[in-house]
Amino acid sequence: MAETKREIERKYEATPGTVIPDLRGAAGIADTVAKGVSELDADYYDTPGLRLDADRITLRRRTGGTDEGWHLKFPVTTGIREEIHAPLEDTVPRTLARLVRSRTRTTPLTAVVRIRSSREVHHLVDEHGRLLAELSRDIVHAERLAPGGGTTGWTEIEVELADGADPVLLDRVEKRFRKAGIEPASSPSKLARALAETEPGPAATTGAATTRAAAAAAAAVKGRAAAGDDRTTSATAPSGERGSSRHADAFAPDGAPRAPKAPEAAKSVRHRGARLKSTHAGEHVLAYLREQRDALVALDPAVRRDLPDAVHQMRVATRRMRSAFRTFRKIVDPQATAPIGDELKWLAGELGAARDQEVMSERLRARLDALPLRLRLGPVRGRLRIWATANRAGARRRSVAVLDTRRYLTLLDTLDALLDEPPLLPAATAKPAAALPRAVLKDYDRLAVRIEHALGLPAGHDRDTAMHDARKAAKRARYAAEAVTPALGKPAGKLARRMKAVQTVLGDHQDSVVARETLRDLAVQAHAAGESAFTWGLLFGCEQATAADRERELPGVWAEASRPGFRTALRG
């Protein structure tokens, strides 16, 4: 079973003869207790192209010391990392391999660097002997395991904060270190320094900069529907396996990724690296698309770990990217992006079960909490808890399982291929102020038509459907405005906030529609079990009232969001 902890530490340059200053009195430090010397031996794992290192992720197998085993570290912010620990075994533990799969895809993990350290440890304790931090002096020897790799060595000092200790301690310790001439390390980690100082010759490695090369063509995505079961035969299948033959055309005979095929009909111009000038509309669009791609990759392990809001944020990233494909179809060739958009829609749908379940559980629980006790007839809390637990477990399994499918990994590869060599149309070279407002206003106009249509319908099923369609249009208009805000500034940001207000009203209305269906199901289950269905019926009525309130609220919110003048401001 993997264990997780937050690692907060700072590293300093040192030599074997560096004298550590007296730290007593700094942030409650009462004494420094020597804990002896440990011999540590660690192999660091990565792909041959160093994909993990490119994202500042480290995976190691270490023997020696008090915490020997496997350690996977994700960066949080400067000096802070999330560390996941697994017991010592010979191969990469399945739990950790899954957590880096969005980076490694089908590429095998191998040992790339061996680091041996002689660690002299001291505990910094308070007056009661409570551990505040661990200070260690490491004499390090690093060896590059790739052909042609070199060796290097150095001495460093680490100060790692103990669980629950005040981070101010690190500042106070650093102040004393600086006075003693001990400076912060120039490299953020042992691995980073080892890689930099043991770099093989150019022919021996491809380097981390080339690791984002495409691993599947868009054509492979188009053809996935013809396949049968697209799930891997095992979540721990060998990383080098390419899966079913339907993906074979995405790879050259030597296993290297093929370049994506350009659409035959579209008159697009592919830009290797897509480094247009920042004055071009295309560069702003590509920067936004890369941001969403990176969010997908980064959120994958958070979803697997069931971290709060992770599924929601990953689903939002898929929707933002899909929306951008449609909004900016005059800039990025839609013939290339349409099949990828379909796959993003599929992924959002697979993730949606978990997110929708989470939202509905919270909504109904809040509704119950707001009712007086005398109106809660029967075991309503227990029934809601059973319903939520049963549905959440299934939704959770579905969300995690999809992340181990070949279809999902191929989607990530295809996004990389698209962004490495994007099919930009001539409008990509236009100035942002000329091309971007037109795209955003087109989405706004679509929303306006749907709002007017919904408001013109009588209350009932047809209006519910029309308002749901308007909600989707509002979300797309909001995403479009947010995407262009870095280029167009405050007017776009203001429009995004207006669209969010409209989306919020329409979203609450749609949630009330879905909640009523759920409440009806719960009432049927309660009745069948011989329980009172009164409370479920009461909540059904509350949701009807909420929907009516949102319908009355919408005209005013829309009038505020569509005030004259924003078109001129957006166009500058």
Side-chain angles (χ1 to χ4, degrees):
M1 180 67 69
E3 300 177 357
T4 302
K5 63 171 289 188
R6 181 65 60 93
E7 178 186 78
I8 305 176
E9 67 177 15
R10 295 186 188 178
K11 296 179 180 292
Y12 299 88
E13 304 286 355
T15 66
T18 297
V19 177
I20 297 174
D22 185 359
L23 299 175
R24 287 177 295 181
I29 298 174
D31 199 6
T32 301
V33 181
K35 304 300 288 186
V37 177
S38 298
E39 300 300 326
L40 310 178
D41 193 344
D43 286 337
Y44 286 77
Y45 283 69
D46 207 330
T47 65
L50 304 180
R51 291 183 177 183
L52 300 187
D53 179 65
D55 285 345
R56 298 188 298 121
I57 296 170
T58 60
L59 173 64
R60 74 184 178 203
R61 179 187 185 276
R62 189 170 75 183
T63 58
T66 59
D67 63 343
E68 69 176 11
W70 286 87
H71 305 90
L72 174 62
K73 300 184 182 184
F74 290 99
V76 177
T77 186
T78 303
I80 302 178
R81 294 189 290 183
E82 195 83 7
E83 180 178 310
I84 303 169
H85 181 270
L88 190 65
E89 54 184 271
D90 291 338
T91 58
V92 180
R94 296 179 181 182
T95 53
L96 303 189
R98 290 189 179 105
L99 293 179
V100 295
R101 184 158 290 159
S102 65
R103 272 84 172 188
T104 62
R105 317 286 168 81
T106 57
T107 306
L109 286 163
T110 58
V112 295
V113 168
R114 182 185 182 188
I115 296 180
R116 286 169 287 173
S117 303
S118 181
R119 169 166 290 184
E120 178 188 354
V121 177
H122 291 81
H123 282 181
L124 307 181
V125 300
D126 64 13
E127 60 183 352
H128 302 294
R130 184 175 68 94
L131 179 65
L132 300 177
E134 182 176 280
L135 184 152
S136 61
R137 186 203 309 265
D138 292 347
I139 300 175
V140 182
H141 176 80
E143 175 188 3
R144 189 69 163 258
L145 300 179
T151 62
T152 187
W154 68 90
T155 300
E156 67 179 31
I157 296 172
E158 288 185 7
V159 182
E160 181 176 347
L161 200 67
D163 293 342
D166 189 344
V168 171
L169 179 143
L170 296 179
D171 295 330
R172 302 288 173 79
V173 168
E174 182 164 312
K175 185 176 181 180
R176 297 212 179 175
F177 275 7
R178 286 183 180 275
K179 286 183 178 181
I182 302 174
E183 296 297 324
S186 58
S187 189
S189 68
K190 288 183 177 66
L191 176 61
R193 181 165 181 172
L195 288 172
E197 296 182 6
T198 61
E199 182 76 24
T205 183
T206 59
T210 63
T211 62
R212 308 220 59 107
V221 174
K222 293 180 181 178
R224 57 87 188 159
D229 182 9
D230 69 350
R231 298 184 182 272
T232 55
T233 56
S234 169
T236 57
S239 300
E241 293 182 2
R242 297 301 185 189
S244 62
S245 60
R246 64 188 173 87
H247 297 303
D249 63 343
F251 298 88
D254 63 355
R258 294 187 189 275
K261 299 178 181 178
E264 295 180 0
K267 297 179 179 179
S268 60
V269 179
R270 291 183 176 270
H271 293 254
R272 188 67 183 175
R275 291 292 180 247
L276 301 178
K277 294 180 180 179
S278 60
T279 54
H280 292 159
E283 179 56 24
H284 289 283
V285 172
L286 290 174
Y288 181 77
L289 292 173
R290 291 190 189 102
E291 181 182 341
Q292 306 315 313
R293 185 273 313 275
D294 292 346
L296 276 179
V297 172
L299 285 164
D300 176 295
V303 170
R304 294 175 187 271
R305 294 170 62 195
D306 200 20
L307 297 184
D309 207 37
V311 171
H312 172 57
Q313 292 301 326
M314 190 174 190
R315 193 182 184 194
V316 167
T318 66
R319 287 176 164 175
R320 287 182 185 275
M321 180 171 282
R322 181 168 173 256
S323 180
F325 285 158
R326 291 180 292 175
T327 296
F328 303 111
R329 61 186 177 276
K330 299 293 186 182
I331 294 173
V332 184
D333 192 343
Q335 291 195 49
T337 60
I340 302 176
D342 290 342
E343 292 300 277
L344 289 169
K345 181 179 181 180
W346 159 76
L347 179 58
E350 294 293 306
L351 296 172
R355 174 57 182 170
D356 293 344
Q357 168 66 28
E358 179 184 357
V359 169
M360 190 54 54
S361 296
E362 292 175 356
R363 186 181 185 96
L364 296 185
R365 193 176 299 112
R367 289 290 194 200
L368 274 178
D369 289 343
L371 284 181
L373 284 173
R374 64 187 182 85
L375 298 180
R376 302 178 199 168
L377 304 186
V380 288
R381 284 192 178 279
R383 179 158 295 283
L384 179 59
R385 183 168 54 252
I386 292 171
W387 172 86
T389 301
N391 284 277
R392 186 185 187 282
R396 161 77 181 153
R397 286 193 297 269
R398 178 176 173 181
S399 294
V400 174
V402 74
L403 302 183
D404 285 321
T405 63
R406 285 189 290 268
R407 182 174 178 180
Y408 165 71
L409 297 177
T410 298
L411 169 59
L412 295 182
D413 285 335
T414 308
L415 287 172
D416 286 349
L418 181 86
L419 294 172
D420 279 348
E421 198 170 353
L424 299 176
L425 297 172
T429 59
K431 293 182 177 180
L436 300 183
R438 286 199 297 267
V440 174
L441 291 174
K442 191 166 186 179
D443 283 343
Y444 167 82
D445 290 339
R446 177 184 295 101
L447 170 62
V449 170
R450 294 190 181 184
I451 290 284
E452 295 302 324
H453 174 63
L455 292 176
L457 294 172
H461 175 75
D462 289 345
R463 174 179 270 198
D464 290 345
T465 301
M467 291 186 71
H468 183 44
D469 289 341
R471 177 200 186 188
K472 291 186 285 187
K475 189 177 296 184
R476 178 169 164 181
R478 171 195 167 189
Y479 290 162
E482 290 174 344
V484 302
T485 295
L488 303 183
K490 290 183 179 180
K494 188 173 184 179
L495 178 61
R497 290 190 294 273
R498 290 180 179 183
M499 296 300 99
K500 184 177 180 180
V502 175
Q503 178 191 334
T504 298
V505 173
L506 293 167
D508 195 32
H509 181 276
Q510 175 61 18
D511 287 348
S512 77
V513 173
V514 178
R516 277 176 271 163
E517 290 299 316
T518 302
L519 288 166
R520 182 185 181 280
D521 291 343
L522 287 168
V524 170
Q525 293 170 19
H527 178 75
E531 302 164 6
S532 172
F534 169 82
T535 301
W536 305 118
L538 183 60
L539 294 183
F540 188 98
C542 290
E543 291 292 355
Q544 282 185 314
T546 295
D549 288 344
R550 297 295 83 79
E551 290 174 17
R552 285 190 294 269
E553 185 181 354
L554 180 59
V557 174
W558 175 242
E560 176 67 19
S562 59
R563 282 186 302 174
F566 79 89
R567 287 176 175 272
T568 302
L570 193 63
R571 290 188 173 117

